[in-house]
């Protein structure tokens, strides 16, 4: 297939950007080589102590410098949110580019630095698109796939044809004077101007939080129309080369076929690479440190391979990201996932910044500017008008088939959001001057269009959205009950389709899910993570995590006052808690799109500056696949956070006189037992041989707890630990006691820990006093902070109760925990507070593992 | 789908049904064919076993509940009009605004749809989803790797979220609120099966 398409002369004409290379870079490379030669070749008379070798480092130095400058520009721009609230960052960056370009022009009298297609298509674009694919809200994307494809394919063709033909018509009518442009060249120009640009769309739309359907329609269109653009551009480019006389029906049919080859071939290639990445991350257990690298390298290879085969590179890398996101998030270590997420964002944001700055710089170049009022203004006019017509017409058709029609206002925004950007510019620069005499006019027009759409439409987008009262992205809390219900609805709809004998959307999705679950997950996911996936459950985790986060945050706020008194605790706290928290935060930010109470105040940035947030917003509610990440996150961070709790509780216990205040003690004990049970469950994942020693106890345990028999062995061992902790002293502790530090001692007579019973504690009002309040009551010195805490805290035990199931979560993932257990345990030993600090029943403790 | 032997004449009370449910004649005909197809022993009524014979339904974790939703309490069979009435819940709303906009509560209104879903939980039909009832649904829907404790706490938390009057159960009003607070994220797509354009696929 590919061979055939390559054989046809006009498809393989030039892989999108391959033919053109960066003149500036090449030049400086030559100079570099020269520099090397002079440095080593010439005979020297004495040993130089210091030599100044600018040419030796020029190219990389300049690149690094530009990156730095672009970064600084973004920093300056983002420093003032009053400005960015009105003018989108992309527009400001372009303006900054103007200034920089002016400075360079003033110094050199020639524009040394422009955005060359090679740099743009090979080094700046791929990471942005990979990022888009990787963070793609899959369900939303595929749910609206039909509409997106219609807009991307028919809409783009319509834009190209209408613009080209209209300009040609106007030309014939004499509206733009004497230009040497034929019909085919107009069509070529139309095809490069037709595509909505993903980079510009992301940049503008991330700051206006429109509703997710609208966003995905515009964004999806901008991504997928690349296939169409590439084909149209190549086809018309070839037509221009062939000349009008040689174009016959066969060539046109070839063009149509090439569209399918380019688009589907590119997507398929991306899919294959996505599977490859997923498979690869299954086996990277021992090289976790470099596993994030695979994602980027293979993504980039997907892009380059598609480029090599003259397929749609953008489609390829998008689908690579889309396909692998679920599996790599599940397969990789949680830290690697964060690394990937962040590197992705760093690269994408960096490139985006560079692109806009260079778009600005490119304008300051006398040589490219050719002004033709008629041509430029008509282009602008036609682009707007035909975009509106196209969107409205296609939506009108689509709305007849859509269950939820796209509203009028959404259509306006969609039309208005048809931004052109660097892709169009890159294509324009790639035009062949020999074939197209008016290349510079086309470049200037493209630049004008880009500036107009990005700056003018970008600035007016937000007021327009506000003015039209476009439905915004609803920032809603993802609740568990809702998740459950959505799941139920899904099942019901599938069942109804079954009963009514229809094969519809739900049927297909169900079949796909089944296939995906059964085969793809099997092949692409590690067995350990495959087990622990459950959507409802992961929401449950997410919510728990959120609770825990705010709980910890509150603890920190309160704790900081205490630490003034208690130096050792301060160090301890800082060391452990600080690390964990800062480590946990980014993940939470990435994972939880909703505004989380205590955590949000750490986020000083009121306006999301990264496309990350936008995506996350969009993804909310349909991130079923990504939740596994949270799952892992929860395991790790809660576990560590819990240690902090334990530490505090044991210390606070120090103060509490339990004889006097038994109720408080019960509460504390409950809390501790929950936390400890989590710990024990984790530690209980001991080698089977340890468990077998206590099989008798297992039997006893099983019945009272009402555990069913299909539980895993390790689960029992978890419970078994509880039993020991309950009251037995040293006896029988030699085995398991040595495997985990015995800190569970403060639970004499607490009974078997069972979260199901926890709720019973709630109705007892005295218990509802949070532990720190109790502390405060006993310690008069603490009254003031505790009162503040009392006012501020949303805590009730019912909130805390949510913490209880952490233990359960540990069980579901025992293999995951198993891998983690030894290391953590070691840390435990190290971090174990010095013996005097948690004194309560020391006999037990000593008996435990001394 | 099916033979073309059956026509509108065979369907009892076709006109009334169309009025009541808002299905078009073509829909009704197709559903009738489907009904006859499911009705293996040609009694004109469907039994739970007939539903059970549908392959996909066996894989559906809450398939049994959905089947039982077709049967009014105490009845063993469902005839065609009742069958259609139940299915009418799933007609997309919005398409019948003009046709029977005057009608107070069309069967496919949002409330009725939610009511249908609500009754899937509420097996004892006391108008409340108790914790036990929620737990049953959860148990059906979550894999076996989720332990009983986890289920308990999920159910616990889910009830907490929705339970506004603190009676430890979810009433229909509370149920409705949950869905109103945050719109169903999937609604933009063509969810509902009995959409006119999807029938032919």
């Amino acid at each position: 297939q590919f061979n055939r398409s390559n054989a046809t002369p006009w498809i393989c004409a030039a892989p999108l950007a391959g033919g053109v290379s960066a003149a500036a870079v090449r030049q400086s490379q030559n100079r570099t080589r020269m520099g090397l030669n002079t440095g080593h070749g010439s005979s020297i008379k004495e040993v130089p102590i210091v030599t100044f070798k600018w040419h030796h480092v020029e190219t990389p130095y300049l690149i690094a410098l530009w990156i730095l400058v672009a970064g600084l520009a973004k920093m300056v721009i983002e420093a003032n949110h009053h400005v960015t609230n009105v003018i989108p960052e992309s527009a400001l960056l372009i303006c900054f580019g103007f200034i920089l370009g002016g400075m360079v022009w003033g110094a050199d009298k020639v524009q040394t630095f422009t955005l060359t297609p090679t740099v743009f298509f090979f080094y700046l674009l791929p990471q942005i698109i990979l990022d888009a694919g990787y963070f793609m809200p899959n369900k939303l994307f595929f749910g609206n796939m039909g509409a997106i494809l219609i807009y991307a394919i028919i809409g783009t063709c319509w834009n190209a044809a209408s613009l080209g033909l209209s300009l040609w018509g106007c030309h014939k009518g004499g509206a733009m004077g004497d230009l040497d442009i034929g019909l085919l060249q107009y069509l070529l120009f139309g095809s490069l101007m037709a595509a909505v640009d993903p980079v510009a769309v992301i940049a503008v739309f991330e700051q206006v939080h429109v509703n997710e359907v609208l966003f995905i329609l515009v964004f999806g269109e901008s991504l997928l129309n690349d296939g169409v653009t590439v084909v149209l551009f190549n086809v018309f480019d070839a037509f221009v080369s062939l000349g009008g006389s040689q174009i016959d029906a066969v060539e046109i049919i070839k063009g149509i076929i090439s569209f399918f080859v380019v688009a589907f071939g590119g997507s398929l290639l991306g899919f294959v690479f996505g599977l490859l990445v997923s498979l690869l991350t299954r086996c990277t257990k021992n090289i976790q440190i470099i596993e994030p690298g695979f994602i980027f390298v293979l993504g980039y290879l997907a892009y380059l391979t598609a480029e090599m085969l003259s397929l749609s590179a953008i489609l390829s890398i998008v689908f690579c990201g889309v396909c692998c996101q679920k599996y790599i998030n599940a397969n990789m270590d949680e830290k690697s996932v964060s690394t990937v997420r962040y590197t992705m964002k760093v690269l994408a944001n960096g490139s985006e910044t560079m692109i806009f700055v260079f778009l600005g710089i490119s304008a300051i170049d006398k040589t490219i500017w050719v002004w033709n009022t008629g041509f430029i203004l008509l282009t602008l006019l036609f682009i707007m008008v035909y975009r509106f017509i196209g969107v409205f017409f296609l939506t009108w058709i689509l709305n007849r088939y859509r269950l939820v029609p796209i509203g009028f206002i959404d259509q306006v925004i969609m039309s208005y959001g048809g931004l052109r950007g660097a892709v169009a510019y890159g294509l324009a620069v790639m035009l062949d001057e020999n074939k197209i005499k008016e290349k510079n006019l086309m470049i200037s027009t493209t630049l004008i269009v880009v500036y107009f759409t990005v700056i003018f439409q970008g600035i007016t987008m937000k007021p327009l959205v506000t003015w039209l009262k476009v439905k915004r992205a609803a920032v809603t809390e993802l609740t568990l009950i809702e998740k459950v219900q959505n799941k139920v609805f899904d099942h019901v709809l599938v069942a109804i389709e079954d009963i009514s004998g229809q094969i519809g959307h739900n049927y297909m999705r169900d079949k796909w899910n089944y296939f995906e679950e059964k085969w793809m997950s099997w092949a692409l996911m590690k067995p350990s993570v495959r087990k622990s996936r459950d959507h409802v459950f992961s929401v449950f985790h997410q919510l728990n995590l959120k609770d825990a986060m705010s709980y910890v945050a509150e603890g920190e706020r309160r704790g900081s006052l205490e630490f003034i008194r208690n130096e050792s605790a301060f160090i301890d706290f800082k060391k452990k808690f600080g690390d964990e928290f800062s480590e946990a935060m980014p993940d939470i930010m990435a994972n939880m799109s909703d505004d989380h109470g205590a955590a949000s105040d750490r986020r000083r940035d009121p306006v999301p500056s990264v496309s990350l947030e936008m995506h996350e917003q969009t993804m909310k509610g349909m991130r079923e696949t990504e939740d596994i990440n949270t799952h892992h996150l929860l395991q790790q961070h809660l576990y560590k956070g819990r240690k902090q709790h334990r530490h505090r509780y044991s210390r606070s216990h120090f103060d509490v006189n339990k004889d006097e205040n038994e109720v408080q003690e019960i509460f504390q004990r409950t809390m501790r037992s929950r936390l400890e049970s989590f710990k024990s469950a984790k530690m209980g994942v001991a080698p089977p041989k340890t468990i077998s020693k206590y099989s008798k106890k297992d039997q006893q345990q099983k019945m009272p707890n009402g555990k069913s028999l299909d539980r895993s062995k390790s689960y029992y061992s978890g419970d078994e630990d509880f039993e020991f902790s309950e009251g037995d002293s040293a006896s029988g502790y030699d085995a398991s006691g040595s495997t985990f530090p015995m800190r569970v001692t403060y639970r004499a007579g607490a009974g078997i820990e069972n979260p199901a019973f926890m709720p019973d504690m709630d109705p007892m009002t005295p218990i509802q006093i949070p532990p720190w309040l109790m502390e405060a009551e006993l310690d008069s010195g603490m009254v003031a902070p505790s009162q503040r805490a009392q006012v501020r805290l949303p805590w009730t035990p019912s909130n805390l109760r949510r913490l209880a199931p952490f233990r359960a979560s540990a069980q579901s993932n025992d293999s995951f925990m198993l891998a983690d257990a030894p290391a953590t345990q070691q840390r435990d030993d190290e971090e174990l507070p010095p013996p005097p600090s948690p004194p309560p029943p020391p006999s037990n403790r000593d008996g435990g593992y001394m | 789908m099916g033979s073309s032997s059956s026509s509108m004449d065979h369907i009892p009370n076709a006109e009334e049904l169309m009025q009541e449910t808002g299905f078009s004649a073509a829909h009704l005909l197709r559903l009738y064919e489907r009904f006859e197809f499911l009705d293996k022993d040609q009694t004109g009524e469907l039994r739970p076993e007939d539903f059970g014979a549908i392959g996909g339904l066996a894989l559906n974790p809450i398939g049994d509940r959905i089947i039982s939703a077709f049967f009014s309490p105490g009845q063993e069979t469902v005839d065609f009009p009742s069958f259609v009435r139940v299915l009418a819940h799933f007609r997309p709303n919005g398409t019948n605004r003009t046709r029977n906009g005057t009608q107070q509560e069309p069967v496919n209104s949002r409330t009725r749809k939610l009511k249908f879903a609500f009754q899937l939980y509420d097996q004892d039909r006391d108008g409340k989803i108790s914790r036990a009832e929620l737990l049953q649904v959860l148990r059906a829907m979550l894999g076996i790797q989720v332990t009983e404790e986890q289920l308990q706490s999920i159910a616990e938390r889910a009830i907490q979220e929705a339970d506004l009057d603190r009676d430890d159960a979810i009433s229909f009003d509370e149920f409705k609120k949950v869905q109103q607070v945050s719109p169903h994220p999937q609604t933009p797509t063509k969810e509902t099966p009995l959409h006119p354009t999807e029938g032919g696929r």
Side-chain angles (χ1 to χ4, degrees):
Chain A
Q1 230 179 354
F2 300 156
N3 285 340
R4 194 158 60 84
S5 73
N6 273 336
T8 40
W10 36 267
I11 292 178
C12 66
L16 205 54
V20 190
S21 67
V25 171
R26 206 196 297 144
Q27 231 176 13
S28 54
Q29 269 169 352
N30 288 340
R31 258 181 279 160
T32 309
R33 244 173 271 128
M34 272 159 54
L36 280 174
N37 288 340
T38 49
H40 297 282
S42 63
S43 57
I44 43 170
K45 296 199 174 77
E46 54 188 308
V47 177
I49 298 168
V50 178
T51 49
F52 182 73
K53 293 190 284 187
W54 163 247
H55 293 303
H56 185 55
V57 294
E58 185 179 348
T59 310
Y61 202 93
L62 281 178
I63 293 171
L65 217 56
W66 274 117
I67 294 174
L68 177 71
V69 166
L72 289 177
K74 191 175 172 108
M75 193 180 78
V76 170
I77 287 165
E78 282 297 322
N80 192 344
H81 286 298
H82 298 297
V83 179
T84 45
N85 276 343
V86 182
I87 306 170
E89 191 192 291
S90 46
L92 287 172
L93 285 171
I94 287 182
C95 297
F96 182 79
F98 290 156
I99 298 168
L100 270 184
M103 281 154 65
V104 173
W105 178 265
D108 287 8
K109 296 295 170 213
V110 64
Q111 192 49 269
T112 329
F113 308 98
T114 54
L115 188 61
T116 59
T118 320
V119 171
F120 173 68
F121 283 110
F122 283 171
Y123 304 115
L124 293 176
L125 189 60
Q127 52 266 45
I128 297 181
I129 308 296
L130 180 64
D131 170 80
Y134 178 75
F135 287 97
M136 181 68 75
N138 277 351
K139 194 168 183 183
L140 197 61
F141 180 63
F142 287 108
N144 292 292
M145 192 58 143
I148 291 172
L149 281 178
I150 296 277
Y151 289 125
I153 297 171
I154 301 179
T156 307
C157 288
W158 156 256
N159 284 347
S162 57
L163 177 66
L165 289 174
S166 306
L167 283 177
W168 182 67
C170 292
H171 182 201
K172 287 281 160 202
M176 40 190 119
D178 186 26
L179 284 179
D180 185 13
I181 305 180
L183 173 60
L184 285 174
Q185 285 156 341
Y186 274 118
L187 286 173
L188 178 61
F189 179 67
S191 70
L192 72 87
M193 289 302 306
V196 175
D197 183 67
V199 184
V201 165
I202 297 171
V204 169
F205 272 72
E206 74 180 2
Q207 299 190 345
V208 263
H209 296 281
V210 294
N211 63 71
E212 51 206 10
V213 180
L214 180 54
F215 175 74
I216 201 74
L217 286 178
V218 179
F219 181 55
E221 179 200 341
S222 71
L223 282 179
L224 296 196
N225 64 19
D226 175 67
V228 183
T229 316
V230 172
V231 173
L232 283 179
F233 186 78
N234 286 346
V235 166
F236 284 118
D237 198 35
F239 282 177
V240 168
S241 311
L242 285 175
S245 57
Q246 304 212 352
I247 300 163
D248 51 13
V250 179
E251 299 296 323
I252 291 170
I253 289 169
K254 276 187 194 163
I256 293 167
I257 293 171
S258 84
F259 162 71
F260 288 100
V261 173
V262 167
F264 289 99
S267 313
L268 195 72
L269 192 75
F271 186 71
V272 169
F273 268 91
L275 296 187
L276 216 62
V277 178
S278 311
L279 274 177
L280 206 64
T281 51
R282 266 191 79 159
C283 328
T284 49
K285 209 177 84 196
N286 298 326
I287 47 163
Q288 271 178 8
I289 196 75
I290 61 162
E291 67 184 0
F294 284 120
I295 318 301
F296 297 98
V297 171
L298 277 170
Y300 194 48
L301 279 178
Y303 187 88
L304 291 181
T305 312
E307 195 72 64
M308 183 175 74
L309 298 170
S310 71
L311 304 172
S312 167
I314 292 186
L315 283 180
S316 171
I317 200 166
V318 164
F319 278 95
C320 178
V322 165
C323 293
C324 71
Q325 55 169 249
K326 173 174 182 179
Y327 307 107
I328 61 175
N329 282 356
N331 282 342
M332 285 195 311
D333 184 65
E334 165 228 337
K335 288 200 177 73
S336 306
V337 173
S338 328
T339 311
V340 169
R341 282 168 173 277
Y342 269 79
T343 316
M344 212 67 109
K345 288 302 171 196
V346 169
L347 291 178
N349 246 302
S351 306
E352 195 190 281
T353 311
M354 299 279 289
I355 286 172
F356 284 119
V357 169
F358 272 96
L359 267 181
I361 293 176
S362 304
I364 313 297
D365 186 356
K366 250 192 215 163
T367 56
I368 61 161
W369 283 106
V370 178
W371 189 267
N372 181 318
T373 316
F375 187 81
I376 290 170
L377 288 185
L378 281 172
T379 305
L380 271 179
L381 178 75
F382 287 141
I383 282 177
M384 283 294 275
V385 169
Y386 289 122
R387 169 79 186 171
F388 269 91
I389 294 176
V391 166
F392 274 81
F393 177 68
L394 291 176
T395 315
W396 178 71
I397 296 177
L398 279 170
N399 274 351
R400 303 171 60 152
Y401 299 95
R402 277 179 76 87
L403 183 63
V404 178
I406 300 162
F408 175 76
I409 287 170
D410 283 6
Q411 293 176 43
V412 172
I413 296 298
M414 269 189 72
S415 315
Y416 202 66
L419 308 175
R420 312 308 204 268
V423 172
Y425 174 72
L427 291 174
V429 173
M430 277 169 58
L431 290 172
D432 186 353
E433 235 164 322
N434 300 323
K435 285 184 281 185
I436 296 157
K437 300 285 183 294
E438 304 288 351
K439 179 187 172 186
N440 279 342
L441 175 60
M442 289 189 180
I443 293 180
S444 340
T445 313
T446 312
L447 277 175
I448 299 259
V449 169
V450 170
Y451 298 148
F452 180 79
T453 53
V454 171
I455 299 178
F456 179 74
Q457 287 180 218
I459 291 171
T460 45
M461 181 65 84
K462 210 168 190 175
L464 190 70
V465 164
T466 320
W467 182 60
L468 289 175
K469 298 190 181 62
V470 176
K471 219 174 103 209
R472 301 298 187 96
V475 183
T476 47
E477 199 103 347
L478 181 60
T479 59
L480 197 59
I481 183 85
E482 196 189 330
K483 189 83 178 175
V484 173
Q485 281 182 17
N486 288 348
K487 215 73 194 151
V488 169
F489 287 154
D490 281 357
H491 287 310
V492 168
L493 290 175
V494 172
I496 292 300
E497 277 190 354
D498 280 335
I499 289 171
S500 65
Q502 290 200 27
I503 296 180
H505 187 78
N506 295 292
Y507 179 84
M508 299 305 286
R509 197 184 59 205
D510 198 52
K511 280 277 170 282
W512 163 254
N513 283 345
Y514 180 72
F515 171 79
E516 203 273 342
E517 200 70 25
K518 187 159 184 197
W519 297 108
M520 295 192 42
S521 296
W522 174 79
L524 300 175
M525 257 187 218
K526 286 181 186 169
S528 52
V529 289
R530 206 159 56 227
K531 250 189 346 188
S532 61
R533 298 181 312 125
D534 204 301
H535 302 148
V536 174
F537 193 61
S538 59
V539 174
F540 179 59
H541 270 287
Q542 232 178 43
L543 291 167
N544 277 338
L545 178 65
K546 204 162 72 176
D547 285 353
M549 290 304 306
S550 38
Y551 181 73
V552 169
E554 197 48 56
E556 185 186 40
R557 189 153 42 181
R558 182 183 66 93
S560 59
L561 284 164
E562 284 182 333
F563 296 135
I564 298 165
R565 291 184 306 148
N566 192 333
E567 237 182 77
S568 65
F570 178 68
I571 294 158
D572 215 354
F573 185 92
K574 266 297 189 199
K575 196 177 74 199
K576 281 189 279 186
F577 186 81
D579 286 352
E580 307 318 338
F581 205 81
S582 60
E583 189 183 357
M585 279 315 293
D587 282 299
I588 315 302
M589 303 289 234
N591 273 306
M592 300 164 83
S593 36
D594 34 15
D595 209 7
H596 30 282
S600 63
D601 59 4
R602 331 204 118 243
R603 192 167 138 190
R604 279 179 222 103
D605 204 1
V607 173
S609 59
V610 202
S611 47
L612 174 75
E613 276 84 6
M614 182 65 199
H615 288 294
E616 295 299 336
Q617 280 246 343
T618 332
M619 266 192 284
K620 174 167 37 66
M622 47 270 323
R623 46 170 49 259
E624 296 179 5
T625 53
E626 295 95 305
D627 279 345
I628 309 116
N629 188 26
T630 329
H631 205 93
H632 282 217
L633 184 76
L634 187 72
Q635 305 276 340
Q636 292 241 325
H637 293 294
L638 283 175
Y639 175 63
K640 290 169 192 162
R642 188 204 55 77
K643 276 187 289 185
Q644 188 51 45
H645 297 172
R646 178 209 46 78
H647 178 74
R648 192 201 322 292
Y649 288 144
S650 66
R651 190 160 46 75
S652 67
H653 168 79
F654 210 1
D655 304 330
V656 170
N657 184 340
K658 61 181 170 183
D659 293 335
E660 286 179 9
N661 204 336
E662 205 180 317
V663 181
Q664 290 177 2
E665 189 210 324
I666 291 169
F667 176 72
Q668 286 209 335
R669 191 198 303 144
T670 317
M671 285 311 301
R672 271 168 60 85
S673 72
R674 285 173 200 170
L675 295 164
E676 292 295 355
S677 70
F678 173 64
K679 163 81 173 194
S680 316
K682 179 169 180 167
M683 284 308 155
V685 186
K689 71 172 181 338
T690 320
I691 295 159
S692 62
K693 286 188 185 173
Y694 308 107
S695 55
K696 206 177 77 187
K697 299 232 171 203
D698 279 355
Q699 294 304 321
Q700 293 170 349
Q701 264 313 93
K702 232 174 269 175
M703 301 328 286
N705 256 355
K707 303 265 158 57
S708 58
L709 287 169
D710 58 343
R711 300 289 155 66
S712 67
K713 257 283 189 190
S714 55
Y715 186 75
Y716 295 127
S717 78
D719 266 71
E720 173 202 7
D721 289 339
F722 293 119
E723 200 179 0
F724 286 134
S725 63
E726 255 158 51
D728 291 331
S729 50
S731 68
Y733 235 100
D734 46 343
S736 63
S738 62
T739 58
F740 82 98
M742 183 60 187
R743 275 181 274 120
V744 205
T745 50
Y746 183 55
R747 7 176 328 130
I752 294 149
E753 201 277 339
N754 186 348
F757 289 123
M758 301 285 178
D760 298 343
M761 310 301 278
D762 290 331
M764 304 158 72
T765 34
I767 298 174
Q768 295 201 342
I769 304 164
W772 44 87
L773 293 186
M774 296 182 260
E775 238 178 278
E777 279 158 24
L778 294 163
D779 182 0
S780 56
M782 279 295 292
V783 166
S786 72
Q787 271 173 347
R788 190 198 56 172
Q790 193 174 17
V791 174
R792 284 205 191 173
L793 285 191
W795 299 122
T796 63
S798 69
N799 277 338
L800 294 175
R801 192 200 314 146
R802 296 167 175 180
L803 291 167
F806 296 152
R807 183 182 74 104
S809 70
Q811 289 153 11
S812 76
N813 275 323
D814 37 14
S815 51
F816 171 67
M817 302 308 285
L818 190 59
D820 193 37
T824 328
Q825 193 185 313
Q826 221 170 6
R827 244 180 292 147
D828 281 344
D829 289 333
E830 286 160 15
E831 286 174 11
L832 198 64
S837 69
S843 60
N844 255 359
R845 183 173 189 281
D846 294 342
Y849 70 113
M850 291 289 155
Chain B
M1 205 173 285
S3 64
S4 56
S5 65
S6 53
S7 72
M8 289 303 283
D9 306 337
H10 295 98
I11 305 173
N13 304 329
E15 278 301 313
E16 282 171 42
L17 272 177
M18 278 165 61
Q19 277 289 316
E20 189 185 335
T21 60
F23 281 122
S24 71
H27 282 147
L28 212 57
L29 193 60
R30 226 182 50 71
L31 287 176
Y32 191 67
E33 283 169 7
R34 180 67 182 172
F35 184 83
E36 284 186 321
F37 172 78
L38 292 176
D39 185 18
K40 295 279 188 250
D41 43 9
Q42 306 296 322
T43 55
E45 289 179 323
L46 294 182
R47 289 165 296 118
E49 300 90 88
D50 293 326
F51 284 104
I54 301 168
L57 223 47
L59 291 175
N60 200 313
I62 52 170
D64 287 343
R65 281 164 187 270
I66 294 162
I67 293 172
S68 65
F70 278 82
F71 300 89
S72 34
Q75 285 208 310
E76 290 295 303
T77 57
V78 57
D79 56 2
F80 182 66
S82 321
F83 178 74
V84 174
R85 271 182 214 116
V86 174
L87 286 180
H89 283 104
F90 296 94
R91 272 187 59 244
N93 50 12
T95 53
N96 59 346
R97 265 177 221 134
T98 48
R99 232 177 303 167
N100 45 5
T102 50
Q103 214 168 309
Q104 206 65 27
E105 184 79 283
V107 71
N108 62 343
S109 72
R110 182 179 173 79
T111 313
R112 293 287 292 271
K113 279 178 166 136
L114 284 174
K115 189 82 185 168
F116 186 89
F118 183 78
Q119 276 165 357
L120 290 180
Y121 292 90
D122 185 22
Q123 294 287 288
D124 59 4
R125 313 238 162 166
D126 64 347
K128 280 182 188 308
I129 301 172
S130 68
R131 186 183 312 194
E133 282 166 344
L134 182 63
L135 207 56
Q136 281 174 7
V137 176
L138 281 173
R139 197 173 293 137
M141 291 204 315
L142 289 166
I144 46 163
Q145 72 267 24
V146 180
T147 62
E148 193 64 26
E149 280 85 354
Q150 287 170 318
L151 281 178
Q152 295 264 6
S153 25
I154 291 177
E156 172 67 25
R157 178 156 186 164
I159 289 205
Q160 256 184 42
E161 282 171 355
D163 188 15
L164 301 174
D165 55 5
R166 302 261 158 250
D167 62 348
D168 211 21
I170 303 173
S171 69
F172 182 58
D173 283 338
E174 288 162 351
F175 186 83
K176 233 163 62 176
K177 279 230 176 64
V178 169
Q179 293 299 313
Q180 272 163 4
V181 167
S182 52
H184 202 265
Q186 294 147 16
T187 38
T189 58
K190 296 171 260 183
E191 284 295 327
T192 320
L194 288 177
H195 193 271
T197 56
E198 298 230 328
R201 261 204 252 164

